[in-house]
Amino acid sequence: MLCRLEISNFALIENVSLNFQHGFSVITGETGAGKSILLKALGLVLGDRADASVLKQNENKCFVEAVFNVESLNLENFFQAHELDFDNTCILRREFNHAGKSRCFVNDTPVQLQVLKDLGEQIVSLHTQHETLSLLNNHFHFEMLDAFAGIQTETLLYQKHFSEYKKRLNDLALLRETDAKNRKEKDYKEFLLNELNAANLQQTNIEKLSDQLMRIQNSEKIAGLLSKITNNLSLDESNIVSQLKQIANWVDELKKLDPSITAITERLEVLRIDLADIAREFDDLSEQSEISEESVQTIKEKMDVFHTLSYKHNVKTVEELILLKDKLEKELSQIENIENSVLQTEKEIEKLYQNLISLAQKISQKREKKISDFCKAIHGVLSDLLMVDAKIQLDLKKAMELNKHGLDELEFLFKTNKGGEFLPLKKIASGGELSRLMLAILSVISASKKLPVLIFDEIDTGVSGEVASRMATEFQRIGKSLQLIVITHLPQVAAKGTMHLHVYKESTANKTHTFVKDLTKDERIEQLARMMSGEKVTKAALENAGNLLNFS
């Protein structure tokens, strides 16, 4: 319900603060007094576009703030979806600066205008003589029938699963798009990876291969030099090792004659042993230098593979190629994971779909059973509103595919006269007829569903006498179940409100302001009398007004 409305510096309103009650409230006022300004201000805080012409152009900023109790409206999911703190008391605020730029707030959190609008549509339902938008909205048709059928719990559960189903469908579409893109790259990445794996990079030492290749390229020269070294060290008749051995023999004889050279003898022996060892190592090198053609080809192939891969991938080292290989393995693993995710998501969607089909079929059956009773109940209220020949018909059809309402398509058809043709509501020209039909539907539903705040803006225009009294009675009955605010020119309607707000203007030498007053009982009697008799209030009008108020 709307608890408080505060308006500052908007059009002719300088400052108004109104506290509202639960139940049926009425707003009256002369034409041009500012009732429309009050609604426009409320519309702003509910997300309507601002008309710069009604913003006061002075140093004071304009703001509208509305406080609602939303405990019964099941808005937790909305707040969660928009990352807003939920509280049973919801404060909507709209501010405008001197240039007309606005800021929107929900519970003191800045939000986009569209968020404010979407939330406002769920908190307040506004109906006018010429624009009963909800009645023309297909979602409203389902909402009313489901409320009458008492299946709100089932439909909320279905809508929750349907939202998840649509989300998963969107997820699947994105996965498939990614998968299709990956498939185009998968073969090429697998080719690159196989190429890198075949190169056996973990066992490739380019420096060692380079050294081997250098030896191969200089093998003849190396062999010649090794041959000369080994020959001079140990193979020729006059090789160094043999000569050194002969010298060692001479030194042994000399040592017998001169013991003082013993140390030299020992050094000479060490030299001879080292030189013999060196000769053997060179001899081994000579044997190793004989490399087969097969070995030469293998080394060249490994070097060629490395150079080709490094050029191809614009890297310089084996380590970089190994990192690239690891990266490709990871990417291919991710591609495979996405393929698996596609399959898994498809299974989840199929399970959700089957569950939705089952829920939708049960909902359809319950709707079908209640259509006749729903129409009869509405016909009863229409008859009370002196539309005895008016009839409503609900055209419930099977949908081609699942939608947010299940497996059904629904349209309200209406006729106002005997023998007339049932037509879609949007083809009915009379705003008064639509208004009374809306009143009838809401009257039937109000006992079974928590509706948002209902505001009727002069939907009783053109109505008088007994019809006006009947409409007033329906307003009063609806007000027992929810908060209803009616802007009216009819004293019959105004008298039945539990709260009566009166809008009026006052002018000074250079300014005109709009004010809103919560009338006392005596003030209500005077206002009702004025509504019945005009500007000149007679004693009879006051008596009639008093009777009208007391009997209400």
Side-chain angles (χ1 to χ4, degrees), residues 22-24 72 442-452 454 474-484:
H22 186 273
F24 175 31
S72 62
L442 294 176
S443 179
V444 168
I445 296 303
S446 60
S448 58
K449 176 179 172 58
K450 291 294 185 181
L451 295 171
L454 292 180
E474 285 303 320
F475 286 144
Q476 190 177 46
R477 198 174 74 79
I478 293 174
K480 293 177 181 178
S481 303
L482 51 84
Q483 187 181 39
L484 173 66

Side-chain angles (χ1 to χ4, degrees), residues 209 212-213 216 290-302:
L209 288 175
Q212 289 177 341
L213 189 60
I216 290 170
E290 295 178 4
I291 301 173
S292 67
E293 287 296 325
E294 184 178 348
S295 298
V296 171
Q297 186 63 28
T298 300
I299 292 171
K300 286 185 176 181
E301 286 176 356
K302 286 185 177 181

Side-chain angles (χ1 to χ4, degrees), residues 58-76:
N58 58 33
E59 68 281 1
N60 298 317
K61 70 179 180 181
C62 164
F63 77 84
V64 183
E65 182 174 282
V67 180
F68 295 89
N69 184 314
V70 296
E71 183 176 1
S72 62
L73 296 181
N74 298 316
L75 294 175
E76 290 89 342

Side-chain angles (χ1 to χ4, degrees), residues 491 525 527-534 540-546 548:
I525 292 174
Q527 180 57 33
L528 290 173
R530 198 177 303 280
M531 292 172 73
M532 289 187 287
S533 65
L542 287 170
E543 289 179 358
N544 288 336
L548 187 63

Side-chain angles (χ1 to χ4, degrees), residues 162-335:
F162 185 74
S163 295
E164 177 63 18
Y165 172 69
K166 297 293 287 185
K167 178 181 180 298
R168 299 303 285 152
L169 283 177
N170 186 57
D171 292 342
L172 180 60
L174 293 174
L175 283 172
R176 283 175 171 168
E177 182 181 342
T178 303
D179 186 44
K181 181 181 178 182
N182 286 343
R183 286 179 183 275
K184 295 178 181 179
E185 301 175 356
K186 183 179 179 182
D187 290 344
Y188 181 60
K189 288 184 177 181
E190 284 180 338
F191 169 77
L192 293 178
L193 180 61
N194 291 335
E195 200 174 41
L196 290 168
N197 282 330
N200 199 16
L201 295 168
Q202 299 289 358
Q203 298 179 12
T204 299
N205 188 322
I206 293 302
E207 291 183 0
K208 185 176 180 180
L209 288 175
S210 296
D211 291 343
Q212 289 177 341
L213 189 60
M214 182 179 294
R215 289 203 305 272
I216 290 170
Q217 291 171 341
N218 296 281
S219 59
E220 291 184 3
K221 186 175 182 180
I222 291 172
L225 290 171
L226 286 173
S227 178
K228 289 180 180 179
I229 292 170
T230 53
N231 286 336
N232 280 278
L233 283 174
S234 61
L235 297 180
D236 288 348
E237 291 181 0
S238 58
N239 63 76
I240 296 173
V241 174
S242 297
Q243 293 179 16
L244 194 60
K245 187 177 181 180
Q246 181 61 50
I247 292 172
N249 292 333
W250 292 337
V251 170
D252 282 340
E253 292 182 13
L254 182 61
K255 186 175 63 172
K256 294 175 183 179
L257 301 174
D258 185 1
S260 64
I261 65 169
T262 299
I264 297 175
T265 303
E266 291 174 354
R267 289 169 57 194
L268 185 63
E269 181 61 19
V270 170
L271 180 61
R272 186 189 67 79
I273 293 172
D274 286 344
L275 196 58
D277 188 55
I278 290 171
R280 282 193 298 273
E281 288 189 14
F282 273 111
D283 189 47
D284 290 340
L285 286 173
S286 296
E287 293 178 2
Q288 294 174 10
S289 66
E290 295 178 4
I291 301 173
S292 67
E293 287 296 325
E294 184 178 348
S295 298
V296 171
Q297 186 63 28
T298 300
I299 292 171
K300 286 185 176 181
E301 286 176 356
K302 286 185 177 181
M303 293 291 292
D304 287 343
V305 167
F306 167 74
H307 289 305
T308 299
L309 290 175
S310 61
Y311 178 77
K312 183 175 185 176
H313 297 289
N314 193 28
V315 299
K316 295 180 179 180
T317 66
V318 171
E319 288 73 19
E320 288 176 296
L321 287 175
I322 291 174
L323 288 174
L324 177 61
K325 181 179 75 69
D326 293 341
K327 180 183 176 184
L328 286 169
E329 287 176 342
K330 183 177 180 180
E331 289 174 351
L332 286 168
S333 176
Q334 290 173 342
I335 289 174

Side-chain angles (χ1 to χ4, degrees), residues 297-458:
Q297 186 63 28
T298 300
I299 292 171
K300 286 185 176 181
E301 286 176 356
K302 286 185 177 181
M303 293 291 292
D304 287 343
V305 167
F306 167 74
H307 289 305
T308 299
L309 290 175
S310 61
Y311 178 77
K312 183 175 185 176
H313 297 289
N314 193 28
V315 299
K316 295 180 179 180
T317 66
V318 171
E319 288 73 19
E320 288 176 296
L321 287 175
I322 291 174
L323 288 174
L324 177 61
K325 181 179 75 69
D326 293 341
K327 180 183 176 184
L328 286 169
E329 287 176 342
K330 183 177 180 180
E331 289 174 351
L332 286 168
S333 176
Q334 290 173 342
I335 289 174
E336 186 176 346
N337 289 338
I338 288 176
E339 291 174 348
N340 293 333
S341 294
V342 169
L343 296 174
Q344 181 63 32
T345 304
E346 287 174 342
K347 291 179 181 177
E348 292 173 1
I349 287 174
E350 179 60 25
K351 185 176 180 180
L352 277 170
Y353 178 79
Q354 294 302 329
N355 186 38
L356 284 170
I357 290 290
S358 177
L359 288 172
Q361 289 172 341
K362 292 176 182 177
I363 289 171
S364 294
Q365 292 170 2
K366 292 182 178 181
R367 284 171 176 161
E368 189 71 43
K369 289 180 180 178
K370 286 294 183 179
I371 285 178
S372 177
D373 292 340
F374 183 55
C375 292
K376 286 179 183 178
I378 292 173
H379 295 160
V381 180
L382 288 173
S383 179
D384 290 341
L385 295 174
L386 301 184
M387 294 180 70
V388 179
D389 296 325
K391 303 294 179 187
I392 189 170
Q393 178 177 295
L394 272 59
D395 186 12
L396 187 69
K397 298 177 181 178
K398 295 302 178 186
M400 297 296 293
E401 59 184 15
L402 284 173
N403 58 59
K404 64 181 179 179
H405 301 295
L407 278 169
D408 295 326
E409 293 177 353
L410 177 64
E411 186 171 24
F412 279 20
L413 305 176
F414 191 50
K415 70 174 184 179
T416 56
N417 301 304
K418 281 185 178 180
E421 180 184 0
F422 280 102
L423 295 173
L425 296 180
K426 60 186 176 183
K427 293 186 178 181
I428 297 173
S430 171
E433 291 168 344
L434 279 181
S435 298
R436 279 186 276 176
L437 174 59
M438 171 61 85
L439 180 56
I441 292 172
L442 294 176
S443 179
V444 168
I445 296 303
S446 60
S448 58
K449 176 179 172 58
K450 291 294 185 181
L451 295 171
V453 179
L454 292 180
I455 299 177
F456 287 118
D457 181 17
E458 298 185 355

